[in-house]
Amino acid sequence: MVIFGYLASLLIGISLGLIGGGGSILTVPVLVYIFGITPVLATSYSLFIVGSTSLIGAYGSYRKGDVSFYTAVLFGLSSVITVFVTRKFIIPAIPEQLFTLGHFTVTWSLVTMTLFAILMLAAALSMIFSKTKEHVVPGRNLFRLVLYGVGIGIVTGLLGAGGGFLLIPALVMLVKLPMKKAVGTSLFIIAFNSLSGFLGDLGHYHIDWFFLLKIALIAVVGIMLGGLLVPRIQGGKLKIVFGWFVLLMGVYILVHEII
């Protein structure tokens, strides 16, 4: 199972390198179900793993000129602040045991994984059925961009997922970025969102740095491999296949947690 976990960590990086998102949606389930980490701590670890991996990918995109810093700063300011506040103040204030229904106790861990499964289903459907087309005319919608950034920040802060599957359509449709630049900008935003959230966690949890750095390093190798595979693999078809995989995982988690 540990070896399978390492392979899954590699897949997280590869998917980020190939399609600019999706990998982060796998990180929490891998940490919880394969490595046996509690859901709340897994969201914290996920922020570091996804953040450091995306930062490497964003640097590669920057070297190719595929990052819009204007968009990243506008989007990032609202989302980074939201993520940090969520992880620093809101998450520690949520009790583990929320309420009871008869003999059944609803815990924050259960709610976290259930919401995560729903997020995975939404991500999967987005990847499978999205018909977003490329745009080449630059455009800006400041209010909607900032509002969307706050929404992404809440999702990232609560669940430890970078939100690439939400970011890329927003960057294409709201900001009118070409797809390649949307992917690179998405990685840049995901990196700073996730790492700011992890900084908010410091002091709240005991961090196993050896384990965390090991998984992050494997994911970084994955994103570098993904970057090398981009010219050889048709991203659209891969996105659909990966979407079905995420859909199956989301259904499994939902059934597992509820039943």
Side-chain angles (χ1 to χ4, degrees):
M1 286 296 289
V2 172
I3 293 173
F4 182 70
Y6 292 154
L7 292 174
S9 303
L10 192 67
L11 178 62
I12 290 166
I14 290 174
S15 68
L16 280 167
L18 284 172
I19 60 178
S24 60
I25 209 78
L26 296 177
T27 311
V28 170
V30 166
L31 293 171
V32 172
Y33 295 116
I34 298 179
F35 291 109
I37 295 171
T38 61
V40 176
L41 184 58
T43 62
S44 181
Y45 281 15
S46 173
L47 290 169
F48 181 84
I49 294 166
V50 172
S52 53
T53 306
S54 298
L55 191 61
I56 299 297
Y59 176 70
S61 295
Y62 163 73
R63 292 182 63 186
K64 298 173 186 175
D66 289 332
V67 175
S68 170
F69 284 105
Y70 176 87
T71 303
V73 169
L74 278 181
F75 211 117
L77 281 176
S78 58
S79 56
V80 164
I81 293 170
T82 305
V83 173
F84 182 82
V85 170
T86 301
R87 298 302 301 189
K88 187 71 176 177
F89 303 107
I90 297 177
I91 294 294
I94 299 174
E96 174 58 20
Q97 295 188 356
L98 299 176
F99 56 89
T100 56
L101 295 171
H103 297 291
F104 182 73
T105 301
V106 177
T107 63
W108 175 239
S109 295
L110 171 64
V111 171
T112 298
M113 294 311 297
T114 302
L115 289 175
F116 207 93
I118 294 171
L119 182 68
M120 291 183 77
L121 296 178
L125 294 174
S126 173
M127 285 186 278
I128 294 168
F129 298 110
S130 175
K131 300 295 182 183
T132 301
K133 296 180 181 179
E134 292 194 19
H135 296 266
V136 294
V137 181
R140 300 180 179 102
N141 189 324
L142 181 60
F143 177 74
R144 291 179 66 188
L145 197 64
V146 171
L147 194 63
Y148 211 87
V150 171
I152 295 288
I154 292 172
V155 171
T156 303
L158 288 176
L159 302 179
F165 78 99
L166 294 171
L167 274 170
I168 292 173
L171 294 174
V172 172
M173 291 185 288
L174 296 182
V175 194
K176 314 300 184 189
L177 290 181
M179 189 62 72
K180 281 189 178 181
K181 186 159 282 192
V183 170
T185 305
S186 169
L187 288 172
F188 191 85
I189 296 169
I190 289 170
F192 282 93
N193 271 0
S194 301
L195 292 175
S196 70
F198 183 75
L199 287 175
D201 279 345
L202 294 180
H204 293 305
Y205 309 107
H206 172 70
I207 306 295
D208 184 345
W209 284 104
F210 178 74
F211 169 79
L212 186 56
L213 291 172
K214 180 169 57 177
I215 299 300
L217 181 61
I218 293 171
V220 165
V221 171
I223 202 169
M224 295 172 72
L225 288 174
L228 294 174
L229 292 172
V230 166
R232 298 174 176 83
I233 298 178
Q234 190 174 346
K237 290 183 178 179
L238 177 70
K239 194 174 182 181
I240 292 173
V241 172
F242 188 73
W244 281 108
F245 175 68
V246 173
L247 181 68
L248 292 174
M249 281 198 65
V251 170
Y252 168 78
I253 293 172
L254 201 57
V255 171
H256 180 274
E257 293 298 327
I258 293 176
I259 296 180

